[in-house]
Amino acid sequence: MPFFVNPFKKHDVSEFEGVLIPLEDAQRHPSVVAAHDEKLGTVNGVPKDEKGAEAGEDLSAYSAYTIEGLRAEIDSDVAASGHDTSYDRKSKVINKAIQDIGMGRYQWQLFVLCGFGWLADNLWLQGVAITLPGITLDYGISSTTVRYTTCATFVGLCCGASFWGIASDIVGRRLAFNSSLFIAGVFGLAVGGGNSWIGVCGLYAALGFGVGGNLPVDGALFLEFLPMASGNLLTMLSVWWPIGQLIASLIAWGFIPNYSCDDSLSACQITPPGVPCCERANNKGWRYFVITLGALTFCMFICRFFFFHLYESPKFLLSKGRQAEAVATVHGIAYKNKRKTWLTEEILNAIGGHPAEVSDAKLSNSEIVKRQLDKFSTERIAPLFATRRLGIMTALIWVCWATIGMGYPLFNAFLPQYLENAGKNQPPTPTNIVYRNYAITSIVGVPGSIIAWYTVDVKYIGRKGTIAVSTLITGILLFLFTISSAPNYQLTMTSLEAFFQNIMYGVLYA
């Protein structure tokens, strides 16, 4: 693998010799050919039924291996999408080309690097939760007030998710993809040196702004390079989410119990003079922890930026009128996967029009923003309630997102505090037991995403069955968690909850 590749290099098709093949000689993906024949009622240009044959209609020119056949596929796709511009037609041609190249080395490497984004997202969500007890002792604030640290982080996350989702369509996926981890790494390291609680909250908010771009940008980028036949890998991408929690819990287990004050001590700011208290010099465990997370995040950024050459999104290049570069990107993917491709500028122009002759071959920044906002227009939302059954399904999905989005931070973001303060009339659970149990919970949760990836394609279970069962069991386990304050009982409930919660998340995000 080449090191220190120029991350902003522009490409030309001449760099990738031997990948171009004529469309009539191409090996198109079986699913593309099957969909093509189903739409036209043919098999390789021959009518399926006798009625078509008797009419003497010659459909051979509409084979999946001809320009006319490809144009017929695109006509069908744009009719269903609601957008019929030169840009949309050419985008769908590129989708077909990527589908025909198939899954290969480039996509698998991208799977890992996009996984870094998902890993970092939950790494820091858990990281903030884990540092709350240490921040309480460092700055002498109450265990209730310190929870505004989580609030500050979520403000940053919301702003980051909103900003990077649109910005990636304007400045490019490549810049957004790398910037999100860079910002998270820099401010993650800075949190470890925070001198005041307000300062720590501000740094966490800035960190959240970077981390917030990971899910929308990484998910969209992965989908743009992912062949449709391998679409279930988006569910599998969620396996990186619990791995982030696992890494955070293991690092915390190593640092915080060994470099924190005794559980019986209080912050010096609220302790009378002469009484033993928790001095900042003896409470550096949470700082070592966040500095380690920041360094790990920065290492992931370095892997993305220097050790892997990310091709710019072909759709973004098209939207900016850089058609030749878009074609070169597809050739680059084929070259890296050791496959062939039929895509040329001539084919794009034949189906979408020559850039010099059409006015809608690219999108302005205002048009990009308008398309993003159009997703929330009544024209796009109304069809979701076209029938009673569809309306109920839409409402249920919205309820799932709303309740899970509310329930996850209320439980997981404060889990270390819940485990430490097990009961009102009981002494706090020892720190080493708290973080041991937290690590065990994280380990048990990892297989959940893998099971979700498998069950969504199982007959009679599918996505609906998987998310219904996992959501129900997760809710029951949350109720059961409150019954007893015994550490071993709570460990059992949180471990089972983490397992089914990750099944639920895997389906929801896919």
Side-chain angles (χ1 to χ4, degrees), residues 249-271:
S249 62
L250 292 176
I251 294 173
W253 191 13
F255 278 123
I256 294 181
N258 296 315
Y259 297 97
S260 298
C261 295
D262 187 86
D263 297 331
S264 61
L265 299 178
S266 300
C268 291
Q269 292 92 330
I270 58 174
T271 303

Side-chain angles (χ1 to χ4, degrees), residues 337-361:
N337 289 357
K338 297 182 179 179
R339 305 281 173 79
K340 304 289 185 180
T341 183
W342 45 262
L343 185 67
T344 63
E345 284 196 78
E346 288 73 20
I347 290 178
L348 287 179
N349 292 338
I351 294 177
H354 196 281
E357 300 173 355
V358 294
S359 59
D360 53 4

Side-chain angles (χ1 to χ4, degrees), residues 329-378:
T329 293
V330 177
H331 283 222
I333 297 171
Y335 185 81
K336 196 155 191 175
N337 289 357
K338 297 182 179 179
R339 305 281 173 79
K340 304 289 185 180
T341 183
W342 45 262
L343 185 67
T344 63
E345 284 196 78
E346 288 73 20
I347 290 178
L348 287 179
N349 292 338
I351 294 177
H354 196 281
E357 300 173 355
V358 294
S359 59
D360 53 4
K362 63 180 183 179
L363 303 176
S364 65
N365 290 342
S366 60
E367 287 174 321
I368 291 172
V369 174
K370 184 177 182 297
R371 285 197 174 207
Q372 289 284 354
L373 297 178
D374 281 347
K375 295 176 182 178
F376 305 98
S377 66
T378 54

Side-chain angles (χ1 to χ4, degrees), residues 5 7 73 76 124 190 218 221 227 243 245 255 302 335 341 386 426:
V5 179
E73 291 179 43
S76 176
W124 283 108
D218 295 6
L221 181 70
I243 290 175
Q245 179 176 340
F255 278 123
I302 291 173
Y335 185 81
T341 183
Q426 296 183 21

Side-chain angles (χ1 to χ4, degrees), residues 115-132 135 149-154 156-157 179-193 200 203-215 240-249 251 285-301 408-409 412-414 416 438:
F116 284 172
W118 291 60
L119 185 154
D121 196 283
N122 206 22
L123 183 79
W124 283 108
L125 284 179
Q126 306 308 317
V128 174
I130 289 169
T131 58
L132 295 184
I135 292 173
T149 310
T150 303
C151 180
T153 307
F154 273 86
L157 286 169
S179 297
S180 58
L181 278 187
F182 175 78
I183 293 172
V186 168
F187 285 100
L189 290 168
V191 168
V200 168
L203 291 171
Y204 267 137
L207 182 152
F209 180 78
V211 171
N214 284 320
L215 293 189
W240 293 95
W241 179 269
I243 290 175
Q245 179 176 340
L246 173 60
I247 292 173
S249 62
I251 294 173
W286 75 272
R287 295 181 184 272
Y288 295 154
F289 168 69
V290 294
I291 289 172
T292 304
L293 295 192
L296 178 61
T297 305
F298 206 81
C299 286
M300 290 190 288
F301 158 73
Y408 184 88
N412 290 274
F414 306 113
Y438 192 70

Side-chain angles (χ1 to χ4, degrees), residues 49-306:
D49 52 35
E50 295 180 0
K51 184 177 180 181
E54 290 173 1
E57 186 178 7
D58 182 14
L59 296 177
S60 59
Y62 292 89
S63 164
Y65 301 90
T66 65
I67 290 290
E68 291 304 322
L70 186 60
R71 182 181 286 111
E73 291 179 43
I74 302 306
D75 287 342
S76 176
D77 290 346
V78 296
S81 70
H83 290 289
D84 187 6
T85 65
S86 175
Y87 163 77
D88 293 297
R89 286 178 170 274
K90 291 180 179 181
S91 293
K92 294 187 182 302
V93 172
I94 285 178
N95 286 343
K96 301 288 184 184
I98 291 176
Q99 175 81 340
D100 289 338
I101 292 172
M103 193 73 184
R105 179 185 173 190
Y106 182 80
Q107 283 88 353
W108 284 115
Q109 290 180 347
L110 193 60
F111 174 80
V112 174
L113 294 173
C114 287
F116 284 172
W118 291 60
L119 185 154
D121 196 283
N122 206 22
L123 183 79
W124 283 108
L125 284 179
Q126 306 308 317
V128 174
I130 289 169
T131 58
L132 295 184
I135 292 173
T136 297
L137 289 175
D138 235 27
Y139 301 113
I141 52 180
S142 69
S143 58
T144 301
T145 303
V146 78
R147 294 175 184 176
Y148 286 104
T149 310
T150 303
C151 180
T153 307
F154 273 86
V155 169
L157 286 169
C158 291
C159 293
S162 303
F163 173 80
W164 290 113
I166 297 176
S168 64
D169 287 333
I170 296 175
V171 301
R173 302 275 194 270
R174 190 156 54 180
L175 181 60
F177 183 71
N178 289 309
S179 297
S180 58
L181 278 187
F182 175 78
I183 293 172
V186 168
F187 285 100
L189 290 168
V191 168
N195 288 322
S196 67
W197 175 58
I198 297 299
V200 168
C201 288
L203 291 171
Y204 267 137
L207 182 152
F209 180 78
V211 171
N214 284 320
L215 293 189
V217 174
D218 295 6
L221 181 70
F222 187 58
L223 271 179
E224 287 188 5
F225 288 106
L226 186 67
M228 191 177 298
S230 303
N232 62 347
L233 277 178
L234 187 62
T235 305
M236 189 63 175
L237 193 64
S238 64
V239 75
W240 293 95
W241 179 269
I243 290 175
Q245 179 176 340
L246 173 60
I247 292 173
S249 62
L250 292 176
I251 294 173
W253 191 13
F255 278 123
I256 294 181
N258 296 315
Y259 297 97
S260 298
C261 295
D262 187 86
D263 297 331
S264 61
L265 299 178
S266 300
C268 291
Q269 292 92 330
I270 58 174
T271 303
V275 177
C277 63
C278 177
E279 297 181 1
R280 185 170 295 182
N282 300 323
N283 189 47
K284 292 188 175 181
W286 75 272
R287 295 181 184 272
Y288 295 154
F289 168 69
V290 294
I291 289 172
T292 304
L293 295 192
L296 178 61
T297 305
F298 206 81
C299 286
M300 290 190 288
F301 158 73
I302 291 173
C303 289
R304 278 185 174 185
F305 195 74
F306 292 111

